[in-house]
Amino acid sequence: QSRVQTPSSGSTTAAPAAPSRKEREKSEDSDTEARFEEAQCVSLVTQINKQVSPELLARFVKSFLLETNATTVRWQAHALVLAIYKNSSTADQEALLDLLWRLWPQLPVYGRKAAQFVDLLGYFSLKTTQTTRKISEYIGQAVSVLHTQNQLLAHHPNANLYSHLAQFVELDGYYLESEPCLVCNNPEVPLTSIKLSSIKVHST
């Protein structure tokens, strides 16, 4: 271990030791393993894009990225779809983005459960190179859905009542509705195993 003299104080400090041969080999092995895993990911995603039809992939996105009440499941689906996108070719990335935009008009049904979907859609839209026509088409779809939902809110039968009440009290919710909001009321109920015999007892 060599010593280095600092010019300001004249004192000597220990110079950092060079990495040993074993450490260098370990680092090289880690790099090789990382490159191998990356190549495997690309190969696997290539097979997914070939074997899985767009219709089946759309069903997967709807089931696990939109419909499920479990936030953890939606984030896991988010990570999987993101990995598929990052390891896909440019053409497959464009196809995946187009698939997500086709599901966009259905998003109001899912409410806040669509957060992970919108996160992916925004990221893919920014990262994917698109033609001017495609960009205009996507912008038109986004504006159309937002406009429709704003119109529904503006012309809601109780909209005036809520706006007047808001001047006097703070309302955390919509208490004048006679029908429950299935999108707003989506508690994460854990899955439980139930015996068939108990179901028969409750049904009789």
Side-chain angles (χ1 to χ4, degrees):
Q1 189 175 15
S2 59
R3 299 272 176 177
V4 177
Q5 186 173 8
T6 57
S8 58
S9 61
S11 61
T12 59
T13 58
S20 64
R21 180 180 178 183
K22 187 175 181 180
E23 290 174 340
R24 289 197 301 270
E25 289 178 350
K26 186 177 180 181
S27 176
E28 290 173 359
D29 289 343
S30 298
D31 293 341
T32 303
E33 185 178 350
R35 286 195 294 270
F36 175 76
E37 288 181 354
E38 184 179 351
Q40 291 292 95
C41 287
V42 172
S43 177
L44 177 60
V45 169
T46 301
Q47 291 301 315
I48 290 174
N49 288 327
K50 286 182 179 179
Q51 302 296 330
V52 179
S53 65
E55 293 77 16
L56 185 58
L57 184 57
R59 283 172 55 191
F60 170 84
V61 170
K62 287 182 66 176
S63 298
F64 295 99
L65 200 57
L66 290 171
E67 293 177 353
T68 179
N69 282 336
T71 305
T72 53
V73 174
R74 293 200 302 272
W75 278 116
Q76 288 170 353
H78 175 284
L80 178 58
V81 175
L82 180 60
I84 291 174
Y85 176 85
K86 287 186 173 181
N87 292 283
S88 294
S89 63
T90 303
D92 288 329
Q93 287 179 345
E94 292 175 359
L96 179 57
L97 176 62
D98 197 54
L99 182 147
L100 294 185
W101 272 110
R102 289 200 300 272
L103 294 174
W104 167 260
Q106 304 176 33
L107 254 59
V109 178
Y110 301 106
R112 61 187 177 189
K113 292 191 293 186
Q116 291 77 15
F117 180 95
V118 173
D119 182 68
L120 287 175
L121 185 62
Y123 178 78
F124 294 169
S125 298
L126 292 174
K127 289 292 183 180
T128 309
T129 304
Q130 294 290 332
T131 62
T132 305
R133 184 183 64 82
K134 274 289 186 183
I135 293 173
S136 300
E137 180 182 327
Y138 294 154
I139 292 174
Q141 290 184 45
V143 171
S144 175
V145 169
L146 293 174
H147 176 74
T148 301
Q149 295 305 308
N150 284 332
Q151 289 295 313
L152 289 173
L153 290 172
H155 296 92
H156 192 277
N158 295 327
N160 287 331
L161 286 173
Y162 286 122
S163 61
H164 282 87
L165 286 173
Q167 300 174 12
F168 306 102
V169 292
E170 286 189 20
L171 292 175
D172 185 15
Y174 302 95
Y175 299 103
L176 304 177
E177 305 307 312
S178 57
E179 297 181 1
C181 176
L182 300 179
V183 176
C184 307
N185 184 25
N186 56 351
E188 295 190 16
V189 180
L191 297 175
T192 55
S193 299
I194 302 175
K195 293 182 178 179
L196 183 60
S197 57
S198 63
I199 297 176
K200 289 181 179 178
V201 170
H202 290 297
S203 62
T204 56

